[in-house]
Amino acid sequence: MTITPPAHPAPTALGRAAYDGADSALSVFESLESEVRSYCRGWPTVFDRAQGAHLVDEDGHTYLDFFAGAGSLNYGHNNPVLKRALIDYLERDGITHGLDMATTAKRGFLETFKEVVLEPRSLPYKVMFPGPTGTNAVESALKLARKVKGRESVVSFTNAFHGMSLGSLAVTGNAFKRAGAGIPLVHGTPMPFDNYLDGQLPDFLWFERLLDDQGSGLNKPAAVIVETVQGEGGINVARAEWLRALADLCRRQDMLLIVDDIQMGCGRTGAFFSFEEAGITPDIVTLSKSISGYGLPMSLCLFRPELDVWEPGEHNGTFRGNNPAFVTATAALNAYWADGQMEKQTTARGEQVEQALLALCEENSADGAHYRGRGLVWGLEFADRTRASKVCARAFELGLLLETSGPDSQVVKLLPPLTISPDELDEGLRTLSRAVHETA
């Protein structure tokens, strides 16, 4: 597809007018949809179709997607391999809603996940289907950790984001998100993430001192939950040695280690799991977003077999058996992870992004521009903390979808599909550069 920058002004009655406040009987988004809507405010158009790394609005304007459904579309929009598997399954009247019943689609996924993902990595995990969303997976992980250890406290990290339900919010750092709970968020204790104190103190000095001091007031935690790269918190990348030290601390202090791989798993950082680079094996892992491969709701909670202390039905949910998602997930694993090529491709694409961001930051060094990331997740930040929002707004006008990240929306977040071509990636990076220069 050729990117065509949106024409201005040329809104349809049901298109941009619905967002810009124009009086229209058809502005259903403003008149009927809740004020809680957010992404549509930064991208004021009505999208109609999508394929690969592109979306097209109802006016025919094409946008290059550097957001990928917040990481839910690692294999692009309407991936033809996954779409074919889904259509074939639906056309033969395969089970759609299955609770936790045994189905051929679930069996196919479990067998493939074991053969393609778990066994090659010597990971011993049991697989739990906790519900359709990432926060469902986090809630089940927290509940299981507390049940196993018989303790209620869970340690999380500064700038963490783990979901929008109450248990997940209690281990989330963002003050705005936490305030939406409307009640006290308890049984969670934040600790400094890697480099939060700019290297002024040894890693985990404060954390371990609290654990060892009977007068610290910190209840013995059941678990520690961590993201290896904080996607919503500002693209903060934990060093491999920091993660290894955290895993060691958890072992010595009898705490379970939970890795939230909801956004960074399924190959986003290169390897299938983001913690592989550090050489650690978490006790519990949460997956969602791109595990279905097609953007269909699905999540997993993985844990060591000895932690499987659930009673039948003790944690359940009506929509934890999304069989079409099992079908597309199986197709994605077979198509992209059976031969080991996806990790190599993501690494190569990541190097392409890093070189472009390096050049961009050198050109904008006076603005305090700097970048960070791994694989195909990157962040670009400026000394002016309002700049990121301006860059994303200008990028949209130029036909590129970008989002911000961080507690003050101060980071430009790059999250393109893993299947993006080098030419598409280069086009998007050039558009980003133009947006940066035009918002200086």
Side-chain angles (χ1 to χ4, degrees):
M1 290 183 176
T2 300
I3 297 176
T4 304
H8 297 286
T12 63
L14 187 57
R16 295 179 184 81
Y19 295 91
D20 64 15
D23 292 331
S24 170
L26 298 177
S27 59
V28 67
F29 303 106
E30 283 202 343
S31 65
L32 189 59
E33 190 178 2
S34 167
E35 293 298 320
V36 79
R37 66 193 188 279
S38 60
Y39 292 120
C40 58
R41 298 179 188 275
W43 301 329
T45 192
V46 179
F47 294 104
D48 180 56
R49 52 196 171 89
Q51 204 286 317
H54 294 88
L55 290 91
V56 181
D57 70 13
E58 64 179 359
D59 295 331
H61 302 128
T62 301
Y63 298 81
L64 185 57
D65 187 3
F66 267 32
F67 185 61
S72 297
L73 296 165
N74 281 2
Y75 313 110
H77 297 268
N78 286 303
N79 182 290
V81 175
L82 312 190
K83 180 165 64 175
R84 184 72 266 159
L86 177 61
I87 290 172
D88 289 347
Y89 182 77
L90 295 176
E91 286 186 338
R92 72 170 185 81
D93 292 331
I95 296 291
T96 298
H97 180 273
L99 295 164
D100 69 353
M101 297 184 294
T103 65
T104 54
K106 183 196 282 189
R107 181 176 61 197
F109 169 74
L110 285 170
E111 290 174 345
T112 303
F113 191 71
K114 178 182 178 182
E115 294 169 5
V116 174
V117 176
L118 297 181
E119 288 183 342
R121 294 164 178 81
S122 299
L123 294 173
Y125 298 135
K126 297 288 290 291
V127 180
M128 175 183 178
F129 300 99
T133 72
T135 200
N136 291 131
V138 170
E139 295 284 359
S140 66
L142 298 176
K143 183 190 288 188
L144 179 61
R146 288 168 171 144
K147 179 178 174 66
V148 168
K149 291 300 182 182
R151 311 175 204 136
E152 78 282 355
S153 178
V154 173
V155 166
S156 58
F157 291 95
T158 50
N159 289 312
F161 179 81
H162 296 290
M164 295 299 289
S165 50
L166 293 180
S168 301
L169 277 177
V171 290
T172 287
N174 187 291
F176 174 73
K177 305 292 188 186
R178 290 174 62 88
I183 62 170
L185 296 171
V186 297
H187 309 305
T189 302
M191 290 291 165
F193 191 71
D194 190 15
N195 204 40
Y196 183 75
L197 300 173
D198 300 320
Q200 297 180 38
L201 294 174
D203 296 336
F204 308 114
L205 176 66
W206 173 244
F207 189 3
E208 192 147 21
R209 179 66 181 270
L210 292 178
L211 290 170
D212 291 338
D213 184 0
Q214 294 301 306
S216 70
L218 175 65
N219 293 335
K220 183 77 170 183
V224 175
I225 184 167
V226 67
E227 304 154 275
T228 67
V229 180
Q230 295 181 326
E232 301 305 311
I235 317 300
N236 305 311
V237 182
R239 293 167 296 140
E241 55 267 33
W242 187 86
L243 292 169
R244 286 193 289 269
L246 176 61
D248 179 66
L249 176 62
C250 288
R251 283 192 297 271
R252 288 188 286 105
Q253 294 285 352
D254 188 32
M255 303 178 296
L256 297 178
L257 176 60
I258 305 170
V259 168
D260 180 342
D261 233 6
I262 288 166
Q263 188 167 108
M264 298 303 153
C266 302
R268 175 54 57 180
T269 64
F272 187 86
F273 294 106
S274 70
F275 56 80
E276 291 183 52
E277 179 191 49
I280 63 174
T281 301
D283 299 294
I284 304 175
V285 180
T286 59
L287 286 176
S288 186
K289 291 199 182 278
S290 276
I291 187 59
S292 81
Y294 203 74
L296 299 176
M298 177 179 172
S299 72
L300 304 178
C301 186
L302 313 176
F303 40 81
R304 296 179 184 273
E306 62 269 25
L307 303 181
D308 195 6
V309 297
W310 294 115
E311 296 291 334
E314 188 175 6
H315 187 92
N316 58 20
T318 303
F319 294 101
R320 66 194 186 281
N322 187 348
N323 281 254
F326 297 153
V327 170
T328 54
T330 301
L333 293 177
N334 284 324
Y336 295 104
W337 292 99
D339 61 3
Q341 294 304 305
M342 177 55 73
E343 181 175 352
K344 296 177 182 178
Q345 177 176 301
T346 299
T347 299
R349 300 286 192 274
E351 292 171 353
Q352 183 179 350
V353 175
E354 185 170 15
Q355 290 303 309
L357 292 181
L358 174 61
L360 184 59
C361 288
E362 289 176 345
E363 295 169 4
N364 293 270
S365 59
D367 299 326
H370 60 281
Y371 68 92
R372 52 189 177 267
R374 278 177 57 196
L376 275 176
V377 53
W378 294 87
L380 176 64
E381 189 171 2
F382 303 88
D384 177 359
R385 294 172 75 84
T386 68
R387 182 82 174 278
S389 295
K390 298 173 184 176
V391 169
C392 290
R394 181 57 181 147
F396 171 78
E397 294 171 350
L398 297 171
L400 176 67
L401 301 183
L402 289 168
E403 250 296 338
T404 58
S405 176
D408 298 317
S409 298
Q410 77 276 17
V411 179
V412 178
K413 182 179 184 181
L414 283 69
L415 207 69
L418 306 185
T419 52
I420 195 168
S421 72
D423 288 344
E424 290 169 331
L425 192 55
D426 184 60
E427 173 68 25
L429 292 167
R430 289 200 307 270
T431 304
L432 168 62
S433 179
R434 179 179 170 186
V436 168
H437 291 304
E438 293 182 1
T439 55

